[in-house]
PDB file of all heavy atoms in Angstrom:
ATOM      1  N   LEU A1018      26.657   5.327   1.796  1.00 97.00           N
ATOM      2  CA  LEU A1018      25.744   6.425   1.491  1.00 97.00           C
ATOM      3  C   LEU A1018      26.478   7.738   1.725  1.00 97.00           C
ATOM      4  O   LEU A1018      27.122   7.910   2.760  1.00 97.00           O
ATOM      5  CB  LEU A1018      24.510   6.364   2.397  1.00 97.00           C
ATOM      6  CG  LEU A1018      23.486   7.495   2.243  1.00 97.00           C
ATOM      7  CD1 LEU A1018      22.706   7.353   0.936  1.00 97.00           C
ATOM      8  CD2 LEU A1018      22.532   7.534   3.431  1.00 97.00           C
ATOM      9  N   SER A1019      26.375   8.639   0.779  1.00 97.00           N
ATOM     10  CA  SER A1019      27.009   9.954   0.908  1.00 97.00           C
ATOM     11  C   SER A1019      25.987  11.028   0.565  1.00 97.00           C
ATOM     12  O   SER A1019      25.465  11.067  -0.552  1.00 97.00           O
ATOM     13  CB  SER A1019      28.222  10.058  -0.016  1.00 97.00           C
ATOM     14  OG  SER A1019      28.903  11.282   0.176  1.00 97.00           O
ATOM     15  N   VAL A1020      25.684  11.870   1.544  1.00 97.00           N
ATOM     16  CA  VAL A1020      24.771  12.997   1.357  1.00 97.00           C
ATOM     17  C   VAL A1020      25.635  14.239   1.175  1.00 97.00           C
ATOM     18  O   VAL A1020      26.420  14.586   2.075  1.00 97.00           O
ATOM     19  CB  VAL A1020      23.836  13.154   2.570  1.00 97.00           C
ATOM     20  CG1 VAL A1020      22.945  14.384   2.424  1.00 97.00           C
ATOM     21  CG2 VAL A1020      22.984  11.904   2.742  1.00 97.00           C
ATOM     22  N   ARG A1021      25.522  14.898   0.037  1.00 98.00           N
ATOM     23  CA  ARG A1021      26.436  15.981  -0.314  1.00 98.00           C
ATOM     24  C   ARG A1021      25.690  17.292  -0.550  1.00 98.00           C
ATOM     25  O   ARG A1021      25.000  17.460  -1.557  1.00 98.00           O
ATOM     26  CB  ARG A1021      27.232  15.620  -1.571  1.00 98.00           C
ATOM     27  CG  ARG A1021      28.131  14.403  -1.405  1.00 98.00           C
ATOM     28  CD  ARG A1021      28.952  14.140  -2.653  1.00 98.00           C
ATOM     29  NE  ARG A1021      29.881  13.033  -2.477  1.00 98.00           N
ATOM     30  CZ  ARG A1021      30.676  12.561  -3.430  1.00 98.00           C
ATOM     31  NH1 ARG A1021      30.632  13.104  -4.652  1.00 98.00           N
ATOM     32  NH2 ARG A1021      31.513  11.557  -3.189  1.00 98.00           N
ATOM     33  N   ASP A1022      25.827  18.188   0.415  1.00 97.00           N
ATOM     34  CA  ASP A1022      25.295  19.560   0.282  1.00 97.00           C
ATOM     35  C   ASP A1022      23.839  19.578  -0.173  1.00 97.00           C
ATOM     36  O   ASP A1022      23.460  20.383  -1.038  1.00 97.00           O
ATOM     37  CB  ASP A1022      26.162  20.372  -0.696  1.00 97.00           C
ATOM     38  CG  ASP A1022      27.589  20.512  -0.207  1.00 97.00           C
ATOM     39  OD1 ASP A1022      27.770  20.828   0.981  1.00 97.00           O
ATOM     40  OD2 ASP A1022      28.519  20.276  -1.016  1.00 97.00           O
ATOM     41  N   VAL A1023      23.021  18.727   0.412  1.00 97.00           N
ATOM     42  CA  VAL A1023      21.625  18.607  -0.005  1.00 97.00           C
ATOM     43  C   VAL A1023      20.817  19.793   0.528  1.00 97.00           C
ATOM     44  O   VAL A1023      20.833  20.098   1.733  1.00 97.00           O
ATOM     45  CB  VAL A1023      21.026  17.286   0.469  1.00 97.00           C
ATOM     46  CG1 VAL A1023      19.507  17.272   0.309  1.00 97.00           C
ATOM     47  CG2 VAL A1023      21.629  16.130  -0.329  1.00 97.00           C
ATOM     48  N   ALA A1024      20.128  20.438  -0.371  1.00 97.00           N
ATOM     49  CA  ALA A1024      19.252  21.561  -0.025  1.00 97.00           C
ATOM     50  C   ALA A1024      17.890  21.309  -0.645  1.00 97.00           C
ATOM     51  O   ALA A1024      17.771  20.696  -1.706  1.00 97.00           O
ATOM     52  CB  ALA A1024      19.827  22.882  -0.534  1.00 97.00           C
ATOM     53  N   LEU A1025      16.854  21.777   0.025  1.00 96.00           N
ATOM     54  CA  LEU A1025      15.496  21.647  -0.500  1.00 96.00           C
ATOM     55  C   LEU A1025      14.677  22.838  -0.028  1.00 96.00           C
ATOM     56  O   LEU A1025      14.666  23.167   1.160  1.00 96.00           O
ATOM     57  CB  LEU A1025      14.859  20.344  -0.024  1.00 96.00           C
ATOM     58  CG  LEU A1025      13.446  20.052  -0.543  1.00 96.00           C
ATOM     59  CD1 LEU A1025      13.427  19.958  -2.071  1.00 96.00           C
ATOM     60  CD2 LEU A1025      12.912  18.758   0.067  1.00 96.00           C
ATOM     61  N   ARG A1026      13.998  23.448  -0.970  1.00 93.00           N
ATOM     62  CA  ARG A1026      13.152  24.601  -0.661  1.00 93.00           C
ATOM     63  C   ARG A1026      11.731  24.333  -1.136  1.00 93.00           C
ATOM     64  O   ARG A1026      11.530  23.799  -2.210  1.00 93.00           O
ATOM     65  CB  ARG A1026      13.695  25.868  -1.321  1.00 93.00           C
ATOM     66  CG  ARG A1026      15.019  26.318  -0.737  1.00 93.00           C
ATOM     67  CD  ARG A1026      15.698  27.397  -1.565  1.00 93.00           C
ATOM     68  NE  ARG A1026      16.927  27.873  -0.931  1.00 93.00           N
ATOM     69  CZ  ARG A1026      18.090  27.243  -1.001  1.00 93.00           C
ATOM     70  NH1 ARG A1026      18.189  26.105  -1.678  1.00 93.00           N
ATOM     71  NH2 ARG A1026      19.153  27.733  -0.391  1.00 93.00           N
ATOM     72  N   PHE A1027      10.778  24.679  -0.305  1.00 90.00           N
ATOM     73  CA  PHE A1027       9.371  24.636  -0.678  1.00 90.00           C
ATOM     74  C   PHE A1027       8.895  26.078  -0.750  1.00 90.00           C
ATOM     75  O   PHE A1027       8.608  26.697   0.269  1.00 90.00           O
ATOM     76  CB  PHE A1027       8.549  23.855   0.353  1.00 90.00           C
ATOM     77  CG  PHE A1027       8.926  22.404   0.470  1.00 90.00           C
ATOM     78  CD1 PHE A1027       9.617  21.940   1.587  1.00 90.00           C
ATOM     79  CD2 PHE A1027       8.594  21.493  -0.522  1.00 90.00           C
ATOM     80  CE1 PHE A1027       9.960  20.605   1.713  1.00 90.00           C
ATOM     81  CE2 PHE A1027       8.936  20.153  -0.404  1.00 90.00           C
ATOM     82  CZ  PHE A1027       9.615  19.708   0.712  1.00 90.00           C
ATOM     83  N   GLY A1028       8.877  26.630  -1.991  1.00 86.00           N
ATOM     84  CA  GLY A1028       8.558  28.048  -2.118  1.00 86.00           C
ATOM     85  C   GLY A1028       9.649  28.863  -1.438  1.00 86.00           C
ATOM     86  O   GLY A1028      10.830  28.726  -1.738  1.00 86.00           O
ATOM     87  N   GLY A1029       9.262  29.694  -0.497  1.00 85.00           N
ATOM     88  CA  GLY A1029      10.248  30.499   0.214  1.00 85.00           C
ATOM     89  C   GLY A1029      10.773  29.859   1.472  1.00 85.00           C
ATOM     90  O   GLY A1029      11.573  30.471   2.194  1.00 85.00           O
ATOM     91  N   ILE A1030      10.338  28.629   1.775  1.00 89.00           N
ATOM     92  CA  ILE A1030      10.755  27.947   2.998  1.00 89.00           C
ATOM     93  C   ILE A1030      11.957  27.059   2.716  1.00 89.00           C
ATOM     94  O   ILE A1030      11.931  26.229   1.807  1.00 89.00           O
ATOM     95  CB  ILE A1030       9.603  27.101   3.575  1.00 89.00           C
ATOM     96  CG1 ILE A1030       8.411  27.992   3.923  1.00 89.00           C
ATOM     97  CG2 ILE A1030      10.073  26.314   4.795  1.00 89.00           C
ATOM     98  CD1 ILE A1030       7.181  27.226   4.343  1.00 89.00           C
ATOM     99  N   VAL A1031      13.016  27.247   3.496  1.00 90.00           N
ATOM    100  CA  VAL A1031      14.205  26.410   3.372  1.00 90.00           C
ATOM    101  C   VAL A1031      14.044  25.207   4.305  1.00 90.00           C
ATOM    102  O   VAL A1031      14.135  25.339   5.519  1.00 90.00           O
ATOM    103  CB  VAL A1031      15.482  27.188   3.729  1.00 90.00           C
ATOM    104  CG1 VAL A1031      16.713  26.272   3.616  1.00 90.00           C
ATOM    105  CG2 VAL A1031      15.636  28.402   2.815  1.00 90.00           C
ATOM    106  N   ALA A1032      13.792  24.038   3.713  1.00 93.00           N
ATOM    107  CA  ALA A1032      13.586  22.824   4.512  1.00 93.00           C
ATOM    108  C   ALA A1032      14.915  22.139   4.826  1.00 93.00           C
ATOM    109  O   ALA A1032      15.084  21.577   5.915  1.00 93.00           O
ATOM    110  CB  ALA A1032      12.660  21.863   3.774  1.00 93.00           C
ATOM    111  N   LEU A1033      15.838  22.169   3.898  1.00 96.00           N
ATOM    112  CA  LEU A1033      17.189  21.633   4.093  1.00 96.00           C
ATOM    113  C   LEU A1033      18.180  22.634   3.529  1.00 96.00           C
ATOM    114  O   LEU A1033      17.964  23.189   2.445  1.00 96.00           O
ATOM    115  CB  LEU A1033      17.356  20.279   3.391  1.00 96.00           C
ATOM    116  CG  LEU A1033      16.534  19.110   3.925  1.00 96.00           C
ATOM    117  CD1 LEU A1033      16.654  17.901   3.003  1.00 96.00           C
ATOM    118  CD2 LEU A1033      16.941  18.744   5.347  1.00 96.00           C
ATOM    119  N   ASP A1034      19.280  22.833   4.259  1.00 95.00           N
ATOM    120  CA  ASP A1034      20.226  23.885   3.895  1.00 95.00           C
ATOM    121  C   ASP A1034      21.644  23.343   3.869  1.00 95.00           C
ATOM    122  O   ASP A1034      22.403  23.452   4.833  1.00 95.00           O
ATOM    123  CB  ASP A1034      20.113  25.036   4.912  1.00 95.00           C
ATOM    124  CG  ASP A1034      20.938  26.253   4.537  1.00 95.00           C
ATOM    125  OD1 ASP A1034      21.470  26.291   3.410  1.00 95.00           O
ATOM    126  OD2 ASP A1034      21.052  27.165   5.383  1.00 95.00           O
ATOM    127  N   GLY A1035      21.994  22.691   2.744  1.00 96.00           N
ATOM    128  CA  GLY A1035      23.360  22.219   2.549  1.00 96.00           C
ATOM    129  C   GLY A1035      23.811  21.136   3.509  1.00 96.00           C
ATOM    130  O   GLY A1035      24.913  21.202   4.070  1.00 96.00           O
ATOM    131  N   VAL A1036      23.005  20.096   3.691  1.00 97.00           N
ATOM    132  CA  VAL A1036      23.316  19.015   4.626  1.00 97.00           C
ATOM    133  C   VAL A1036      24.260  18.004   3.974  1.00 97.00           C
ATOM    134  O   VAL A1036      24.012  17.562   2.848  1.00 97.00           O
ATOM    135  CB  VAL A1036      22.030  18.310   5.104  1.00 97.00           C
ATOM    136  CG1 VAL A1036      22.377  17.115   5.992  1.00 97.00           C
ATOM    137  CG2 VAL A1036      21.133  19.290   5.833  1.00 97.00           C
ATOM    138  N   SER A1037      25.327  17.658   4.694  1.00 97.00           N
ATOM    139  CA  SER A1037      26.282  16.660   4.213  1.00 97.00           C
ATOM    140  C   SER A1037      26.648  15.696   5.335  1.00 97.00           C
ATOM    141  O   SER A1037      26.834  16.121   6.482  1.00 97.00           O
ATOM    142  CB  SER A1037      27.566  17.330   3.706  1.00 97.00           C
ATOM    143  OG  SER A1037      27.333  18.151   2.592  1.00 97.00           O
ATOM    144  N   PHE A1038      26.761  14.420   5.013  1.00 97.00           N
ATOM    145  CA  PHE A1038      27.328  13.422   5.919  1.00 97.00           C
ATOM    146  C   PHE A1038      27.530  12.126   5.141  1.00 97.00           C
ATOM    147  O   PHE A1038      26.959  11.924   4.072  1.00 97.00           O
ATOM    148  CB  PHE A1038      26.458  13.170   7.152  1.00 97.00           C
ATOM    149  CG  PHE A1038      25.075  12.623   6.868  1.00 97.00           C
ATOM    150  CD1 PHE A1038      24.855  11.257   6.704  1.00 97.00           C
ATOM    151  CD2 PHE A1038      23.988  13.477   6.776  1.00 97.00           C
ATOM    152  CE1 PHE A1038      23.595  10.759   6.445  1.00 97.00           C
ATOM    153  CE2 PHE A1038      22.717  12.993   6.526  1.00 97.00           C
ATOM    154  CZ  PHE A1038      22.527  11.620   6.367  1.00 97.00           C
ATOM    155  N   ASP A1039      28.368  11.252   5.697  1.00 97.00           N
ATOM    156  CA  ASP A1039      28.625   9.934   5.115  1.00 97.00           C
ATOM    157  C   ASP A1039      28.183   8.856   6.089  1.00 97.00           C
ATOM    158  O   ASP A1039      28.271   9.025   7.311  1.00 97.00           O
ATOM    159  CB  ASP A1039      30.118   9.740   4.827  1.00 97.00           C
ATOM    160  CG  ASP A1039      30.601  10.588   3.654  1.00 97.00           C
ATOM    161  OD1 ASP A1039      29.776  10.950   2.796  1.00 97.00           O
ATOM    162  OD2 ASP A1039      31.815  10.891   3.631  1.00 97.00           O
ATOM    163  N   LEU A1040      27.731   7.744   5.518  1.00 97.00           N
ATOM    164  CA  LEU A1040      27.366   6.567   6.303  1.00 97.00           C
ATOM    165  C   LEU A1040      28.119   5.376   5.712  1.00 97.00           C
ATOM    166  O   LEU A1040      27.957   5.051   4.536  1.00 97.00           O
ATOM    167  CB  LEU A1040      25.853   6.330   6.241  1.00 97.00           C
ATOM    168  CG  LEU A1040      25.304   5.063   6.884  1.00 97.00           C
ATOM    169  CD1 LEU A1040      25.717   4.962   8.355  1.00 97.00           C
ATOM    170  CD2 LEU A1040      23.781   5.010   6.754  1.00 97.00           C
ATOM    171  N   HIS A1041      28.960   4.746   6.538  1.00 97.00           N
ATOM    172  CA  HIS A1041      29.790   3.635   6.072  1.00 97.00           C
ATOM    173  C   HIS A1041      29.109   2.294   6.334  1.00 97.00           C
ATOM    174  O   HIS A1041      28.244   2.175   7.201  1.00 97.00           O
ATOM    175  CB  HIS A1041      31.150   3.681   6.748  1.00 97.00           C
ATOM    176  CG  HIS A1041      32.008   4.813   6.274  1.00 97.00           C
ATOM    177  ND1 HIS A1041      32.941   4.688   5.248  1.00 97.00           N
ATOM    178  CD2 HIS A1041      32.052   6.117   6.662  1.00 97.00           C
ATOM    179  CE1 HIS A1041      33.515   5.842   5.044  1.00 97.00           C
ATOM    180  NE2 HIS A1041      33.006   6.734   5.876  1.00 97.00           N
ATOM    181  N   ARG A1042      29.519   1.306   5.589  1.00 96.00           N
ATOM    182  CA  ARG A1042      28.945  -0.030   5.703  1.00 96.00           C
ATOM    183  C   ARG A1042      29.067  -0.552   7.137  1.00 96.00           C
ATOM    184  O   ARG A1042      30.110  -0.425   7.767  1.00 96.00           O
ATOM    185  CB  ARG A1042      29.653  -1.002   4.761  1.00 96.00           C
ATOM    186  CG  ARG A1042      29.430  -0.698   3.293  1.00 96.00           C
ATOM    187  CD  ARG A1042      30.182  -1.679   2.407  1.00 96.00           C
ATOM    188  NE  ARG A1042      30.191  -1.236   1.015  1.00 96.00           N
ATOM    189  CZ  ARG A1042      29.202  -1.486   0.156  1.00 96.00           C
ATOM    190  NH1 ARG A1042      28.162  -2.211   0.551  1.00 96.00           N
ATOM    191  NH2 ARG A1042      29.265  -1.044  -1.085  1.00 96.00           N
ATOM    192  N   GLY A1043      27.966  -1.140   7.610  1.00 96.00           N
ATOM    193  CA  GLY A1043      27.966  -1.736   8.920  1.00 96.00           C
ATOM    194  C   GLY A1043      27.701  -0.779  10.060  1.00 96.00           C
ATOM    195  O   GLY A1043      27.613  -1.204  11.209  1.00 96.00           O
ATOM    196  N   GLN A1044      27.561   0.512   9.758  1.00 97.00           N
ATOM    197  CA  GLN A1044      27.284   1.491  10.806  1.00 97.00           C
ATOM    198  C   GLN A1044      25.790   1.611  11.081  1.00 97.00           C
ATOM    199  O   GLN A1044      24.954   1.288  10.241  1.00 97.00           O
ATOM    200  CB  GLN A1044      27.811   2.869  10.414  1.00 97.00           C
ATOM    201  CG  GLN A1044      29.291   3.093  10.578  1.00 97.00           C
ATOM    202  CD  GLN A1044      29.636   4.564  10.427  1.00 97.00           C
ATOM    203  OE1 GLN A1044      29.038   5.285   9.637  1.00 97.00           O
ATOM    204  NE2 GLN A1044      30.636   5.016  11.172  1.00 97.00           N
TER     205      GLN A1044
END
């Protein structure tokens, strides 16, 4: 799983701001 610069806004609210991380098999 690779999360790459994920951002999410609800109107003017920033719920996620450029989140990135990797998850490797078996972790």
Side-chain angles (χ1 to χ4, degrees):
L1018 177 73
S1019 185
V1020 176
R1021 297 183 176 177
D1022 298 314
V1023 168
L1025 182 60
R1026 292 169 176 81
F1027 296 107
I1030 299 173
V1031 179
L1033 294 171
D1034 187 9
V1036 176
S1037 296
F1038 62 85
D1039 289 335
L1040 174 56
H1041 289 266
R1042 294 179 191 275
Q1044 282 191 325

